[in-house]
Amino acid sequence: MEGGTSNINALIYIRGHQLDYDNWANITGNPIWNYKNVTNFFKKFENFVDNDDPNKGHTGELMIEELSQTYGLLSDFFVQAGFEAGYPKVDLNSYYSQGFDTFKFTKKRGQRWEGFSAFLQPAKESEDHDLTVYKYSTVTKVLLDRMNRAYGVEYIRHGVTLAAKATKEVILSAGAVNSPQLLMLSGIGPKKHLRSKGIHVKIDSPGVGKNLQDHVGTYVGVFTINEPLTFKVERDMNPSVLMEYLTQGTGPLSSVGIYSAGAISTKFELEDAEHENRIVWPDVLLSLIGHSIPENFSIVASEENIKYEILENFWGPHREHDAFHIFVFPTRPVGRGEILLADKDPFSKPLIDPKYFENSRDVKVAIEGIKMAVEIVENSTIFRSIGVELSEIPLPTCAHVTFRSDDYWECYLRHLTLTLYHPTGTCAMGQKNDLSAVVDSELRVIGIESLRVIDASVAPTIVSSNINAACNVIAEIGAHLIKTTWQKT
Protein backbone atom coordinates (compact mmCIF):
# COMPACT_ATOMS: atom_id res chain seq x y z
CA MET A 1 0.00 0.00 0.00
CA GLU A 2 1.58 3.28 -1.08
CA GLY A 3 1.84 5.48 1.98
CA GLY A 4 1.72 2.51 4.35
CA THR A 5 -0.47 2.55 7.42
CA SER A 6 -0.83 6.34 7.27
CA ASN A 7 -3.75 5.38 4.99
CA ILE A 8 -5.62 3.67 7.82
CA ASN A 9 -4.31 5.11 11.10
CA ALA A 10 -6.12 7.47 13.47
CA LEU A 11 -4.37 10.54 11.97
CA ILE A 12 -2.90 11.52 15.36
CA TYR A 13 0.29 13.55 15.18
CA ILE A 14 2.42 13.63 18.34
CA ARG A 15 6.19 13.85 18.13
CA GLY A 16 6.84 12.18 21.46
CA HIS A 17 8.62 13.29 24.61
CA GLN A 18 12.04 14.94 24.42
CA LEU A 19 13.57 12.18 26.54
CA ASP A 20 12.46 9.59 23.96
CA TYR A 21 14.92 11.05 21.50
CA ASP A 22 17.62 11.98 23.99
CA ASN A 23 17.52 8.32 24.99
CA TRP A 24 18.06 7.27 21.35
CA ALA A 25 21.09 9.57 21.20
CA ASN A 26 22.49 8.00 24.37
CA ILE A 27 21.92 4.45 23.11
CA THR A 28 23.47 5.08 19.68
CA GLY A 29 26.17 7.50 20.77
CA ASN A 30 25.10 9.85 17.96
CA PRO A 31 23.75 13.32 18.88
CA ILE A 32 21.83 13.56 15.62
CA TRP A 33 19.06 11.63 17.41
CA ASN A 34 18.70 13.95 20.43
CA TYR A 35 15.54 16.03 20.63
CA LYS A 36 17.18 19.34 19.87
CA ASN A 37 18.60 18.03 16.59
CA VAL A 38 15.59 15.87 15.73
CA THR A 39 13.37 18.97 16.02
CA ASN A 40 15.11 20.47 12.99
CA PHE A 41 14.22 17.40 10.96
CA PHE A 42 10.60 17.45 12.17
CA LYS A 43 10.33 21.03 10.98
CA LYS A 44 11.52 20.11 7.48
CA PHE A 45 8.45 18.01 6.67
CA GLU A 46 5.82 19.54 8.99
CA ASN A 47 3.20 22.02 7.84
CA PHE A 48 1.21 23.08 10.89
CA VAL A 49 -1.91 24.95 9.80
CA ASP A 50 -2.87 28.13 11.70
CA ASN A 51 0.10 27.80 14.03
CA ASP A 52 3.08 30.17 14.04
CA ASP A 53 5.15 28.42 16.73
CA PRO A 54 8.81 28.71 15.62
CA ASN A 55 9.52 25.26 17.07
CA LYS A 56 7.25 23.73 14.44
CA GLY A 57 7.44 23.40 10.69
CA HIS A 58 5.15 25.46 8.44
CA THR A 59 6.35 24.80 4.90
CA GLY A 60 6.76 21.03 4.75
CA GLU A 61 4.80 18.40 2.88
CA LEU A 62 2.83 16.92 5.80
CA MET A 63 -0.27 18.97 6.63
CA ILE A 64 -1.17 19.02 10.34
CA GLU A 65 -4.45 20.52 11.57
CA GLU A 66 -6.21 21.23 14.83
CA LEU A 67 -9.46 19.53 15.77
CA SER A 68 -12.40 21.16 13.97
CA GLN A 69 -13.67 24.07 16.05
CA THR A 70 -17.25 23.22 15.11
CA TYR A 71 -17.01 19.87 16.87
CA GLY A 72 -15.32 18.24 19.81
CA LEU A 73 -16.26 20.46 22.75
CA LEU A 74 -15.68 17.47 25.00
CA SER A 75 -12.00 17.79 24.15
CA ASP A 76 -11.79 21.04 26.12
CA PHE A 77 -13.57 19.40 29.05
CA PHE A 78 -10.85 16.77 29.25
CA VAL A 79 -8.03 19.33 29.12
CA GLN A 80 -9.79 21.35 31.82
CA ALA A 81 -10.27 18.25 33.97
CA GLY A 82 -6.55 17.62 33.72
CA PHE A 83 -5.87 21.20 34.78
CA GLU A 84 -8.13 20.78 37.81
CA ALA A 85 -6.13 17.68 38.73
CA GLY A 86 -2.90 19.68 38.65
CA TYR A 87 -1.73 18.98 35.09
CA PRO A 88 -0.97 22.05 32.94
CA LYS A 89 -2.12 22.65 29.40
CA VAL A 90 0.93 21.76 27.33
CA ASP A 91 1.98 21.34 23.73
CA LEU A 92 2.51 17.65 23.09
CA ASN A 93 4.54 18.55 19.99
CA SER A 94 7.12 20.57 21.89
CA TYR A 95 9.02 20.38 25.18
CA TYR A 96 6.84 19.24 28.08
CA SER A 97 6.98 17.28 31.30
CA GLN A 98 3.40 16.23 32.05
CA GLY A 99 0.16 17.73 30.85
CA PHE A 100 -2.94 17.72 28.67
CA ASP A 101 -3.44 18.90 25.11
CA THR A 102 -5.86 18.61 22.22
CA PHE A 103 -4.70 16.24 19.52
CA LYS A 104 -3.30 17.43 16.19
CA PHE A 105 -4.08 15.44 13.05
CA THR A 106 -2.51 14.76 9.66
CA LYS A 107 -5.34 16.31 7.66
CA LYS A 108 -5.78 18.82 4.87
CA ARG A 109 -9.04 20.77 4.98
CA GLY A 110 -10.53 18.05 7.14
CA GLN A 111 -9.50 15.11 4.96
CA ARG A 112 -6.82 12.49 5.59
CA TRP A 113 -3.40 13.64 4.43
CA GLU A 114 -1.36 10.47 4.35
CA GLY A 115 2.20 9.67 3.30
CA PHE A 116 1.32 9.02 -0.34
CA SER A 117 -0.34 12.42 -0.85
CA ALA A 118 2.33 14.25 1.14
CA PHE A 119 5.48 12.67 -0.24
CA LEU A 120 5.11 10.04 -2.97
CA GLN A 121 2.52 11.60 -5.25
CA PRO A 122 4.38 14.93 -5.62
CA ALA A 123 7.57 13.00 -6.39
CA LYS A 124 5.83 10.87 -9.01
CA GLU A 125 4.25 13.93 -10.64
CA SER A 126 7.46 15.96 -10.71
CA GLU A 127 8.82 16.51 -14.25
CA ASP A 128 12.33 15.46 -13.27
CA HIS A 129 11.42 12.54 -11.01
CA ASP A 130 13.26 9.24 -11.24
CA LEU A 131 10.93 7.25 -8.99
CA THR A 132 9.45 3.98 -10.24
CA VAL A 133 6.96 2.04 -8.12
CA TYR A 134 6.30 -1.62 -8.93
CA LYS A 135 2.91 -2.62 -7.58
CA TYR A 136 1.87 -6.24 -7.06
CA SER A 137 5.44 -7.13 -6.11
CA THR A 138 6.74 -9.06 -3.12
CA VAL A 139 10.40 -8.78 -2.14
CA THR A 140 11.70 -12.20 -1.10
CA LYS A 141 15.27 -11.42 -0.05
CA VAL A 142 18.18 -9.00 -0.20
CA LEU A 143 20.88 -9.98 -2.70
CA LEU A 144 24.33 -10.18 -1.11
CA ASP A 145 27.66 -10.91 -2.77
CA ARG A 146 30.52 -12.95 -1.32
CA MET A 147 31.84 -9.91 0.52
CA ASN A 148 28.45 -9.38 2.21
CA ARG A 149 27.69 -6.31 0.15
CA ALA A 150 24.04 -5.70 -0.76
CA TYR A 151 23.59 -5.16 -4.49
CA GLY A 152 19.84 -5.48 -4.92
CA VAL A 153 16.69 -7.36 -3.99
CA GLU A 154 14.91 -10.37 -5.41
CA TYR A 155 11.17 -9.98 -5.87
CA ILE A 156 8.21 -11.81 -7.39
CA ARG A 157 5.76 -9.98 -9.62
CA HIS A 158 2.83 -11.71 -11.32
CA GLY A 159 4.45 -15.06 -10.60
CA VAL A 160 7.81 -14.16 -12.14
CA THR A 161 11.00 -13.95 -10.07
CA LEU A 162 12.95 -10.78 -10.88
CA ALA A 163 15.80 -8.72 -9.44
CA ALA A 164 16.21 -5.00 -8.86
CA LYS A 165 19.88 -3.99 -8.79
CA ALA A 166 21.36 -1.09 -6.79
CA THR A 167 24.36 0.96 -7.86
CA LYS A 168 24.87 2.55 -4.44
CA GLU A 169 22.85 0.90 -1.66
CA VAL A 170 19.66 -0.96 -0.77
CA ILE A 171 17.08 0.50 1.61
CA LEU A 172 14.63 -1.70 3.53
CA SER A 173 11.45 0.08 4.66
CA ALA A 174 9.14 -2.85 5.17
CA GLY A 175 8.14 -2.05 8.75
CA ALA A 176 8.76 -3.60 12.13
CA VAL A 177 7.34 -6.96 11.06
CA ASN A 178 8.58 -7.43 7.51
CA SER A 179 12.00 -5.75 7.70
CA PRO A 180 13.33 -8.31 10.21
CA GLN A 181 11.60 -11.05 8.24
CA LEU A 182 13.43 -10.00 5.05
CA LEU A 183 16.76 -9.75 6.85
CA MET A 184 16.35 -13.26 8.24
CA LEU A 185 15.27 -14.66 4.86
CA SER A 186 18.48 -13.10 3.49
CA GLY A 187 20.65 -14.85 6.07
CA ILE A 188 20.98 -11.93 8.50
CA GLY A 189 19.74 -12.78 11.98
CA PRO A 190 20.14 -15.12 14.97
CA LYS A 191 22.23 -17.98 13.55
CA LYS A 192 20.58 -20.75 15.56
CA HIS A 193 17.11 -19.70 14.42
CA LEU A 194 18.17 -19.29 10.77
CA ARG A 195 19.84 -22.71 10.68
CA SER A 196 16.72 -24.30 12.17
CA LYS A 197 14.82 -23.02 9.12
CA GLY A 198 17.42 -24.19 6.62
CA ILE A 199 18.72 -20.70 5.83
CA HIS A 200 22.42 -20.14 5.11
CA VAL A 201 23.80 -17.67 7.68
CA LYS A 202 25.49 -14.63 6.20
CA ILE A 203 25.76 -12.62 9.42
CA ASP A 204 24.93 -13.74 12.94
CA SER A 205 22.88 -10.76 14.18
CA PRO A 206 21.13 -11.83 17.40
CA GLY A 207 18.98 -8.68 17.61
CA VAL A 208 17.05 -9.19 14.37
CA GLY A 209 13.40 -9.73 15.26
CA LYS A 210 14.01 -9.19 18.97
CA ASN A 211 13.16 -6.10 21.07
CA LEU A 212 9.57 -5.94 19.72
CA GLN A 213 7.61 -3.19 21.48
CA ASP A 214 4.05 -2.00 21.04
CA HIS A 215 1.48 0.15 22.77
CA VAL A 216 -1.31 -1.90 24.27
CA GLY A 217 -4.03 -0.78 26.64
CA THR A 218 -7.76 -0.67 27.15
CA TYR A 219 -10.92 1.43 26.90
CA VAL A 220 -11.87 2.71 30.35
CA GLY A 221 -15.58 3.43 30.72
CA VAL A 222 -18.41 3.61 30.03
CA PHE A 223 -18.62 7.25 31.22
CA THR A 224 -22.12 8.63 30.65
CA ILE A 225 -23.07 12.32 30.59
CA ASN A 226 -26.37 14.19 30.35
CA GLU A 227 -25.39 16.66 27.62
CA PRO A 228 -25.24 15.97 23.83
CA LEU A 229 -21.48 16.46 23.57
CA THR A 230 -20.42 13.12 22.08
CA PHE A 231 -20.94 11.73 18.60
CA LYS A 232 -23.97 9.46 18.30
CA VAL A 233 -24.26 8.04 14.80
CA GLU A 234 -28.03 7.64 14.89
CA ARG A 235 -28.55 11.24 16.07
CA ASP A 236 -25.69 13.19 14.54
CA MET A 237 -25.28 11.62 11.11
CA ASN A 238 -27.46 13.66 8.73
CA PRO A 239 -27.30 15.51 5.37
CA SER A 240 -26.21 18.81 6.92
CA VAL A 241 -23.26 17.13 8.61
CA LEU A 242 -22.24 15.62 5.28
CA MET A 243 -22.53 18.99 3.53
CA GLU A 244 -20.47 20.72 6.21
CA TYR A 245 -17.70 18.18 5.70
CA LEU A 246 -17.79 18.36 1.89
CA THR A 247 -17.92 22.16 1.68
CA GLN A 248 -15.89 23.27 4.71
CA GLY A 249 -13.90 20.24 5.84
CA THR A 250 -15.25 20.60 9.38
CA GLY A 251 -17.80 18.92 11.62
CA PRO A 252 -18.09 15.37 12.98
CA LEU A 253 -16.97 13.70 9.74
CA SER A 254 -13.65 15.56 9.88
CA SER A 255 -12.87 13.83 13.17
CA VAL A 256 -11.86 10.27 14.01
CA GLY A 257 -13.52 10.64 17.41
CA ILE A 258 -10.30 10.92 19.41
CA TYR A 259 -10.07 14.43 20.77
CA SER A 260 -7.46 15.14 23.42
CA ALA A 261 -4.82 13.50 25.56
CA GLY A 262 -3.08 13.58 28.90
CA ALA A 263 0.56 12.55 29.25
CA ILE A 264 0.89 11.65 32.91
CA SER A 265 3.25 9.84 35.26
CA THR A 266 2.35 7.09 37.67
CA LYS A 267 3.89 6.81 41.10
CA PHE A 268 6.38 4.35 39.64
CA GLU A 269 7.73 6.91 37.15
CA LEU A 270 7.80 9.66 39.77
CA GLU A 271 9.96 7.43 41.95
CA ASP A 272 12.27 6.65 39.03
CA ALA A 273 12.64 10.32 38.09
CA GLU A 274 13.57 11.26 41.64
CA HIS A 275 16.02 8.37 41.93
CA GLU A 276 17.66 9.20 38.58
CA ASN A 277 17.59 12.95 39.23
CA ARG A 278 15.90 13.83 35.93
CA ILE A 279 12.70 15.44 34.68
CA VAL A 280 9.52 13.43 34.69
CA TRP A 281 9.05 11.20 31.64
CA PRO A 282 5.34 10.27 31.42
CA ASP A 283 4.69 6.54 31.40
CA VAL A 284 0.95 6.66 30.61
CA LEU A 285 -1.09 8.36 27.89
CA LEU A 286 -4.82 8.98 28.33
CA SER A 287 -6.84 9.58 25.15
CA LEU A 288 -10.42 10.85 25.15
CA ILE A 289 -12.67 8.79 22.83
CA GLY A 290 -15.80 10.86 22.17
CA HIS A 291 -18.02 8.28 20.45
CA SER A 292 -21.17 7.16 22.20
CA ILE A 293 -22.23 3.53 22.17
CA PRO A 294 -23.67 2.72 18.71
CA GLU A 295 -26.86 0.77 18.13
CA ASN A 296 -24.84 -1.95 16.44
CA PHE A 297 -21.27 -2.61 17.54
CA SER A 298 -20.70 -5.80 15.56
CA ILE A 299 -17.97 -4.00 13.58
CA VAL A 300 -16.18 -3.02 16.79
CA ALA A 301 -16.48 -6.58 18.11
CA SER A 302 -15.02 -7.94 14.89
CA GLU A 303 -12.20 -5.40 14.56
CA GLU A 304 -11.14 -5.68 18.20
CA ASN A 305 -11.70 -9.46 18.42
CA ILE A 306 -14.15 -9.15 21.32
CA LYS A 307 -17.14 -11.44 21.68
CA TYR A 308 -20.31 -9.61 20.73
CA GLU A 309 -22.27 -10.94 23.70
CA ILE A 310 -19.71 -9.49 26.11
CA LEU A 311 -20.08 -6.04 24.57
CA GLU A 312 -23.85 -6.40 24.48
CA ASN A 313 -23.93 -6.97 28.24
CA PHE A 314 -21.28 -4.34 29.00
CA TRP A 315 -22.10 -1.57 26.51
CA GLY A 316 -25.65 -2.37 25.45
CA PRO A 317 -27.44 -0.76 28.44
CA HIS A 318 -25.86 2.61 27.55
CA ARG A 319 -27.02 2.91 23.95
CA GLU A 320 -29.45 5.68 24.83
CA HIS A 321 -26.88 7.87 26.60
CA ASP A 322 -24.20 10.25 25.47
CA ALA A 323 -21.06 8.46 26.57
CA PHE A 324 -17.30 8.40 26.18
CA HIS A 325 -14.25 6.31 27.05
CA ILE A 326 -10.67 7.03 28.02
CA PHE A 327 -8.12 4.87 26.25
CA VAL A 328 -5.28 4.17 28.68
CA PHE A 329 -1.94 2.66 27.75
CA PRO A 330 1.59 2.47 29.20
CA THR A 331 3.79 4.54 26.89
CA ARG A 332 7.16 2.95 27.68
CA PRO A 333 6.59 -0.78 28.13
CA VAL A 334 9.31 -2.81 29.80
CA GLY A 335 8.29 -6.09 28.20
CA ARG A 336 9.77 -7.13 24.87
CA GLY A 337 8.34 -9.46 22.25
CA GLU A 338 9.90 -11.06 19.20
CA ILE A 339 9.35 -11.94 15.55
CA LEU A 340 10.47 -15.29 14.18
CA LEU A 341 10.25 -17.04 10.84
CA ALA A 342 7.69 -19.79 10.43
CA ASP A 343 9.89 -21.30 7.70
CA LYS A 344 12.05 -20.13 4.81
CA ASP A 345 9.11 -19.50 2.50
CA PRO A 346 8.90 -15.69 1.99
CA PHE A 347 5.13 -15.96 1.60
CA SER A 348 4.67 -17.58 5.01
CA LYS A 349 3.51 -15.17 7.67
CA PRO A 350 6.13 -14.54 10.35
CA LEU A 351 5.46 -15.64 13.91
CA ILE A 352 4.71 -12.61 16.09
CA ASP A 353 4.85 -12.97 19.87
CA PRO A 354 4.28 -9.50 21.40
CA LYS A 355 4.36 -10.81 24.98
CA TYR A 356 1.73 -8.27 26.04
CA PHE A 357 1.61 -7.71 29.80
CA GLU A 358 4.01 -10.54 30.59
CA ASN A 359 6.08 -8.01 32.52
CA SER A 360 4.57 -7.18 35.92
CA ARG A 361 5.76 -3.55 35.77
CA ASP A 362 3.68 -2.96 32.64
CA VAL A 363 0.60 -4.38 34.35
CA LYS A 364 1.12 -2.21 37.43
CA VAL A 365 1.61 0.94 35.34
CA ALA A 366 -1.53 0.22 33.32
CA ILE A 367 -3.63 -0.37 36.44
CA GLU A 368 -2.36 2.82 38.02
CA GLY A 369 -3.10 4.69 34.80
CA ILE A 370 -6.66 3.39 34.74
CA LYS A 371 -7.27 4.50 38.33
CA MET A 372 -5.77 7.93 37.61
CA ALA A 373 -8.00 8.35 34.54
CA VAL A 374 -11.12 7.54 36.55
CA GLU A 375 -10.07 9.90 39.34
CA ILE A 376 -9.34 12.78 36.95
CA VAL A 377 -12.76 12.50 35.31
CA GLU A 378 -14.86 11.85 38.39
CA ASN A 379 -13.24 14.52 40.56
CA SER A 380 -13.43 17.35 38.02
CA THR A 381 -16.07 20.02 38.46
CA ILE A 382 -16.35 20.46 34.71
CA PHE A 383 -17.30 16.81 34.09
CA ARG A 384 -19.54 16.74 37.15
CA SER A 385 -21.37 19.74 35.68
CA ILE A 386 -22.59 17.52 32.84
CA GLY A 387 -23.50 14.63 35.12
CA VAL A 388 -20.60 12.31 34.43
CA GLU A 389 -20.92 8.79 35.83
CA LEU A 390 -18.79 5.71 35.42
CA SER A 391 -21.04 2.75 34.68
CA GLU A 392 -21.51 0.42 37.62
CA ILE A 393 -21.91 -2.54 35.25
CA PRO A 394 -18.76 -4.64 35.49
CA LEU A 395 -17.13 -6.27 32.50
CA PRO A 396 -18.93 -9.65 32.44
CA THR A 397 -15.72 -11.69 32.43
CA CYS A 398 -14.59 -9.86 35.59
CA ALA A 399 -17.88 -9.80 37.51
CA HIS A 400 -16.46 -12.25 40.05
CA VAL A 401 -13.88 -9.68 41.23
CA THR A 402 -14.58 -6.71 43.50
CA PHE A 403 -15.54 -3.79 41.26
CA ARG A 404 -12.86 -1.05 40.97
CA SER A 405 -10.28 -3.03 42.93
CA ASP A 406 -6.80 -3.50 41.51
CA ASP A 407 -7.68 -7.14 40.84
CA TYR A 408 -10.73 -6.00 38.89
CA TRP A 409 -8.75 -3.57 36.76
CA GLU A 410 -6.12 -6.22 36.04
CA CYS A 411 -8.85 -8.65 34.99
CA TYR A 412 -10.44 -5.88 32.90
CA LEU A 413 -7.10 -5.05 31.30
CA ARG A 414 -6.39 -8.65 30.39
CA HIS A 415 -9.86 -9.30 28.93
CA LEU A 416 -10.34 -6.00 27.10
CA THR A 417 -6.79 -5.76 25.76
CA LEU A 418 -6.35 -3.65 22.65
CA THR A 419 -3.25 -2.92 20.62
CA LEU A 420 -2.68 0.47 19.01
CA TYR A 421 -0.69 -1.23 16.24
CA HIS A 422 2.58 0.52 17.03
CA PRO A 423 5.13 -2.30 16.45
CA THR A 424 8.64 -0.96 16.89
CA GLY A 425 12.22 -1.91 17.59
CA THR A 426 12.89 -5.21 15.78
CA CYS A 427 15.99 -3.93 13.90
CA ALA A 428 17.15 -1.64 16.66
CA MET A 429 19.79 1.06 16.36
CA GLY A 430 22.81 0.81 18.59
CA GLN A 431 26.57 1.01 18.77
CA LYS A 432 28.62 -1.51 16.84
CA ASN A 433 29.88 -3.22 20.00
CA ASP A 434 26.31 -3.83 21.15
CA LEU A 435 25.39 -7.41 20.17
CA SER A 436 21.67 -6.57 20.30
CA ALA A 437 22.03 -3.75 17.75
CA VAL A 438 21.01 -4.51 14.15
CA VAL A 439 21.82 -1.14 12.56
CA ASP A 440 24.27 1.56 13.56
CA SER A 441 23.37 5.18 14.28
CA GLU A 442 23.31 5.91 10.54
CA LEU A 443 20.83 3.06 9.99
CA ARG A 444 23.38 0.83 8.22
CA VAL A 445 23.02 -2.90 8.89
CA ILE A 446 25.99 -3.90 11.02
CA GLY A 447 28.22 -6.39 9.19
CA ILE A 448 26.68 -5.76 5.78
CA GLU A 449 27.86 -3.15 3.30
CA SER A 450 25.44 -0.93 1.35
CA LEU A 451 22.29 -1.93 3.23
CA ARG A 452 20.16 0.29 5.49
CA VAL A 453 16.87 -0.13 7.30
CA ILE A 454 14.70 2.98 7.58
CA ASP A 455 11.39 2.44 9.34
CA ALA A 456 9.87 1.93 12.81
CA SER A 457 11.96 -1.19 13.37
CA VAL A 458 15.15 0.84 13.96
CA ALA A 459 13.84 2.68 17.03
CA PRO A 460 15.69 1.13 19.98
CA THR A 461 12.85 2.14 22.30
CA ILE A 462 9.29 3.04 21.42
CA VAL A 463 8.37 6.71 21.68
CA SER A 464 5.91 7.60 24.45
CA SER A 465 3.13 8.57 22.04
CA ASN A 466 1.55 7.50 18.78
CA ILE A 467 4.39 6.66 16.40
CA ASN A 468 3.44 8.19 13.02
CA ALA A 469 5.43 11.38 13.65
CA ALA A 470 8.45 9.40 14.85
CA CYS A 471 8.36 7.20 11.74
CA ASN A 472 8.35 10.30 9.54
CA VAL A 473 11.32 11.82 11.33
CA ILE A 474 13.26 8.54 11.06
CA ALA A 475 12.64 8.73 7.31
CA GLU A 476 13.70 12.40 7.15
CA ILE A 477 16.92 11.72 9.03
CA GLY A 478 17.50 8.58 6.97
CA ALA A 479 17.24 10.61 3.76
CA HIS A 480 19.70 13.13 5.18
CA LEU A 481 22.17 10.39 6.10
CA ILE A 482 21.99 8.85 2.63
CA LYS A 483 22.52 12.17 0.88
CA THR A 484 25.38 13.08 3.20
CA THR A 485 27.08 9.75 2.52
CA TRP A 486 27.02 10.13 -1.25
CA GLN A 487 27.86 13.81 -1.28
CA LYS A 488 31.17 12.85 0.30
CA THR A 489 32.07 10.51 -2.57
Side-chain angles (χ1 to χ4, degrees):
M1 182 187 299
E2 291 182 282
T5 54
S6 65
N7 291 281
I8 58 175
N9 69 1
L11 310 179
I12 294 169
Y13 187 87
I14 309 182
R15 289 177 176 176
H17 195 272
Q18 58 264 34
L19 290 185
D20 295 333
Y21 299 98
D22 290 347
N23 188 42
W24 290 6
N26 289 334
I27 291 171
T28 63
N30 190 339
I32 196 173
W33 295 104
N34 70 38
Y35 189 70
K36 180 180 179 181
N37 290 324
V38 165
T39 296
N40 294 323
F41 290 98
F42 275 120
K43 291 167 66 175
K44 290 181 70 174
F45 66 79
E46 291 174 340
N47 192 339
F48 275 87
V49 178
D50 298 328
N51 187 311
D52 58 2
D53 185 345
N55 290 315
K56 297 182 174 60
H58 307 286
T59 59
E61 304 91 341
L62 190 66
M63 306 296 292
I64 303 163
E65 295 182 345
E66 299 270 357
L67 183 69
S68 167
Q69 293 302 303
T70 61
Y71 194 68
L73 292 176
L74 203 62
S75 176
D76 296 331
F77 279 63
F78 194 46
V79 174
Q80 178 61 30
F83 183 77
E84 291 183 28
Y87 299 99
K89 169 73 168 68
V90 297
D91 183 346
L92 292 178
N93 284 297
S94 188
Y95 289 92
Y96 67 92
S97 179
Q98 301 185 89
F100 282 61
D101 189 16
T102 54
F103 276 126
K104 310 301 180 289
F105 303 91
T106 51
K107 300 188 298 180
K108 183 177 182 179
R109 292 190 290 274
Q111 297 187 17
R112 179 182 293 272
W113 192 247
E114 78 307 316
F116 174 76
S117 296
F119 304 107
L120 281 179
Q121 190 169 30
K124 292 171 74 173
E125 294 177 351
S126 171
E127 292 183 0
D128 59 349
H129 83 84
D130 54 1
L131 172 67
T132 300
V133 177
Y134 284 136
K135 295 182 178 180
Y136 319 112
S137 304
T138 300
V139 174
T140 55
K141 65 179 178 180
V142 178
L143 299 173
L144 303 171
D145 65 18
R146 293 180 180 179
M147 301 301 292
N148 282 342
R149 182 185 68 86
Y151 64 90
V153 295
E154 180 183 276
Y155 66 99
I156 296 176
R157 189 169 192 249
H158 302 312
V160 180
T161 300
L162 301 164
K165 303 293 181 66
T167 58
K168 290 185 170 66
E169 58 182 290
V170 175
I171 313 298
L172 286 188
S173 298
V177 174
N178 294 121
S179 282
Q181 179 190 27
L182 276 172
L183 288 179
M184 288 188 282
L185 290 170
S186 307
I188 305 166
K191 64 181 180 181
K192 184 176 180 181
H193 176 58
L194 298 188
R195 287 172 180 165
S196 73
K197 304 303 178 185
I199 296 172
H200 174 66
V201 179
K202 286 281 192 174
I203 289 290
D204 177 22
S205 183
V208 175
K210 307 301 182 183
N211 192 48
L212 174 62
Q213 298 154 68
D214 192 10
H215 286 142
V216 62
T218 190
Y219 292 119
V220 177
V222 177
F223 292 100
T224 60
I225 55 177
N226 55 24
E227 295 289 339
L229 297 175
T230 62
F231 182 68
K232 288 180 67 68
V233 173
E234 296 77 16
R235 177 190 66 202
D236 299 327
M237 193 67 169
N238 54 59
S240 64
V241 164
L242 178 60
M243 286 301 298
E244 180 183 0
Y245 176 65
L246 293 176
T247 60
Q248 302 176 47
T250 59
L253 294 184
S254 68
S255 167
V256 293
I258 308 172
Y259 301 148
S260 48
I264 64 173
S265 299
T266 66
K267 60 186 179 183
F268 307 108
E269 162 54 22
L270 295 176
E271 292 169 359
D272 287 349
E274 183 177 3
H275 177 71
E276 297 169 15
N277 192 29
R278 58 165 170 79
I279 65 170
V280 169
W281 189 0
D283 56 350
V284 168
L285 194 73
L286 314 178
S287 300
L288 177 70
I289 313 295
H291 282 297
S292 289
I293 306 300
E295 286 295 324
N296 187 327
F297 35 74
S298 57
I299 295 178
V300 176
S302 175
E303 287 181 346
E304 305 292 2
N305 196 29
I306 305 170
K307 291 181 179 179
Y308 185 91
E309 56 269 26
I310 292 177
L311 292 183
E312 178 62 44
N313 291 329
F314 187 53
W315 283 354
H318 305 292
R319 283 191 176 97
E320 301 302 317
H321 299 96
D322 271 81
F324 65 89
H325 288 82
I326 307 295
F327 194 89
V328 178
F329 68 90
T331 55
R332 297 184 287 112
V334 177
R336 297 291 187 268
E338 64 179 350
I339 292 175
L340 299 170
L341 296 177
D343 51 49
K344 62 179 180 180
D345 182 351
F347 289 94
S348 294
K349 295 179 180 179
L351 306 176
I352 305 172
D353 183 2
K355 294 181 168 46
Y356 292 145
F357 292 129
E358 285 192 10
N359 186 281
S360 61
R361 167 73 179 241
D362 294 337
V363 176
K364 291 175 181 178
V365 168
I367 292 171
E368 191 69 15
I370 290 170
K371 294 192 297 183
M372 293 171 76
V374 172
E375 182 178 354
I376 288 169
V377 172
E378 289 189 327
N379 289 348
S380 69
T381 57
I382 193 162
F383 271 120
R384 289 204 302 267
S385 72
I386 54 174
V388 71
E389 289 185 1
L390 174 63
S391 170
E392 295 294 321
I393 299 173
L395 188 68
T397 47
C398 301
H400 62 289
V401 185
T402 302
F403 187 60
R404 294 199 187 210
S405 67
D406 283 10
D407 288 342
Y408 172 79
W409 289 126
E410 180 172 354
C411 176
Y412 186 103
L413 183 67
R414 293 188 180 280
H415 283 86
L416 197 60
T417 310
L418 304 168
T419 174
L420 289 180
Y421 302 102
H422 294 166
T424 301
T426 49
C427 299
M429 285 190 285
Q431 300 184 44
K432 291 184 179 180
N433 60 358
D434 180 356
L435 294 179
S436 66
V438 178
V439 300
D440 65 16
S441 67
E442 295 190 11
L443 310 182
R444 299 170 298 200
V445 176
I446 297 170
I448 302 292
E449 186 180 345
S450 303
L451 177 62
R452 296 189 210 236
V453 180
I454 305 178
D455 57 33
S457 70
V458 304
T461 54
I462 194 168
V463 293
S464 52
S465 65
N466 296 67
I467 68 170
N468 181 260
C471 289
N472 277 291
V473 86
I474 288 170
E476 191 70 52
I477 293 175
H480 166 78
L481 293 170
I482 294 168
K483 288 188 291 185
T484 301
T485 296
W486 296 103
Q487 285 169 355
K488 293 176 181 177
T489 60

